[in-house]
Amino acid sequence: DPWTCAENESIDGCDCSGCDCDGVAHTNYYYYYYYGGDNNWDDDDYYGNTDEADAHECPFTLNMMDSFGDGWDGAKWTWTEDSTNADAETGTLEGGSSGTAPLCGGGCYTLSVDQGSYPSEVSWTILNGDTGREEAGGGSGDSATVCGADQPSSQPTLSQVPTVSLQPTQLPSSPVPTIGPVDVSTFWELSNSITSGARINVVSDIAFGASITISAKTNVVISSSTGAVLTGGTFSADKGGLFHIKDASDVTFTGLGFKSGSVTSKGGCLFAEGSNVEVEDVDFTECIAYDEYWEEGGGMYLSSSTASITGASFTSCTALTGGGIYLSSL
């Protein structure tokens, strides 16, 4: 071991007479198992773990969202290994509007989320750490199964392979990057692509897990080349069932469908305050503002904002005042 005889006798109370303990780090099993060959005790040396291994063993990230912003109010998630039906991990969003948790383990696992006190506020997505893509998503009472990388199989016996000469290949020159919209197809991709100057093309229908707040973002364009429909209905927000735009933001929506957004106050599908909004060829369908006292702007609510609305339609949108649009200077 790496200690001197005097150190061993002082620490362990042993008699090292006749032993070779000169303080030199000897190359033996004990030394490398417990110290990793660096004379530095740590958990990685003891358990054989590294950061790279930890990242490989936790291939997914759980993104937790709460539309009201006060955590999941008792709703919990459970990460269950399919092969053993054993619960590997469990947790919750203690507070705030969003949070993350690593999901670890190889093979297939099922994430399930129970109800809690306010199930309409809860939503979640599972992000693949290797590809950056959303693998699954849902709300309270939902579950989804995802599979990590397969376990390595045994290596086959290799037959003799003839030797060949490899010819160098001319590498292509790097393509010149083109400037264009970012294609998105999931709620997670859309919500994380919204920055100032962003050009976003929604290529497929998206079910929202929560309302998206756009704050202090300028020159944002969200459009669809396929006429994609953005749908709520699995949750209810306070203001803006799909989008809440504020703090001098400047946002343009083109060629989209807004459907089934619902709020307990104002702006069933879209709420804007102190901002500029352009809406072109957008269909608002079944957007609802409902509450005992407020219920304003079933499709859209504009407060101290400027707006340009062209070719928009409002179908079956409901509110006590302003089923389609409500304008306010407050």
Side-chain angles (χ1 to χ4, degrees):
D1 60 48
W3 311 111
T4 65
C5 291
E7 288 170 331
N8 279 319
E9 291 176 337
S10 173
I11 296 172
D12 298 329
C14 59
D15 183 2
C16 296
S17 301
C19 298
D20 181 13
C21 44
D22 54 7
V24 177
H26 299 288
T27 305
N28 57 29
Y29 173 82
Y30 177 94
Y31 178 63
Y32 277 98
Y33 182 76
Y34 287 100
Y35 292 91
D38 57 7
N39 241 3
N40 180 31
W41 172 277
D42 54 35
D43 287 342
D44 285 350
D45 291 325
Y46 185 82
Y47 294 105
N49 295 331
T50 64
D51 291 339
E52 181 180 357
D54 291 342
H56 177 72
E57 292 171 0
C58 300
F60 301 105
T61 297
L62 174 63
N63 299 292
M64 299 169 284
M65 293 158 285
D66 183 85
S67 61
F68 194 77
D70 62 345
W72 276 8
D73 299 297
K76 293 182 179 180
W77 58 266
T78 303
W79 184 239
T80 303
E81 186 176 10
D82 289 0
S83 62
T84 63
N85 201 33
D87 294 343
E89 297 178 70
T90 186
T92 187
L93 179 62
E94 295 290 352
S97 59
S98 63
T100 62
L103 299 176
C104 304
C108 295
Y109 284 75
T110 296
L111 183 105
S112 56
V113 178
D114 59 21
Q115 294 288 329
S117 301
Y118 298 94
S120 64
E121 300 175 4
V122 173
S123 61
W124 52 269
T125 59
I126 297 176
L127 187 69
N128 188 314
D130 293 330
T131 64
R133 294 190 63 85
E134 180 183 310
E135 296 287 342
S140 287
D142 293 334
S143 62
T145 299
V146 294
C147 298
D150 293 334
Q151 297 296 322
S153 59
S154 58
Q155 297 297 319
T157 303
L158 298 179
S159 59
Q160 185 67 32
V161 178
T163 303
V164 296
S165 299
L166 300 178
Q167 298 297 323
T169 302
Q170 180 70 32
L171 294 177
S173 58
S174 299
V176 178
T178 58
I179 299 175
V182 176
D183 291 343
V184 300
S185 59
T186 67
F187 175 77
W188 181 251
E189 291 174 344
L190 173 59
S191 61
N192 282 276
S193 298
I194 299 175
T195 60
S196 291
R199 298 294 187 268
I200 301 170
N201 178 37
V202 183
V203 297
S204 63
D205 296 348
I206 296 177
F208 274 40
S211 176
I212 294 178
T213 298
I214 302 177
S215 177
K217 302 293 189 298
T218 58
N219 298 319
V220 178
V221 177
I222 302 176
S223 62
S224 177
S225 58
T226 61
V229 178
L230 310 181
T231 306
T234 61
F235 64 93
S236 180
D238 178 43
K239 297 177 180 179
L242 296 179
F243 292 97
H244 183 168
I245 303 170
K246 62 180 183 178
D247 298 332
S249 291
D250 178 17
V251 185
T252 299
F253 298 99
T254 305
L256 291 158
F258 289 174
K259 184 178 180 181
S260 299
S262 63
V263 295
T264 57
S265 180
K266 305 171 182 178
C269 277
L270 177 64
F271 180 92
E273 55 183 333
S275 298
N276 178 67
V277 178
E278 295 185 30
V279 177
E280 181 179 354
D281 298 328
V282 174
D283 298 326
F284 292 77
T285 305
E286 299 175 0
C287 301
I288 301 173
Y290 66 95
D291 183 80
E292 183 179 357
Y293 301 105
W294 292 105
E295 300 183 347
E296 295 172 339
M300 181 189 313
Y301 186 103
L302 301 173
S303 174
S304 301
S305 298
T306 58
S308 173
I309 303 173
T310 306
S313 66
F314 296 84
T315 304
S316 300
C317 294
T318 305
L320 180 65
T321 307
I325 306 174
Y326 188 95
L327 305 178
S328 173
S329 61
L330 300 178

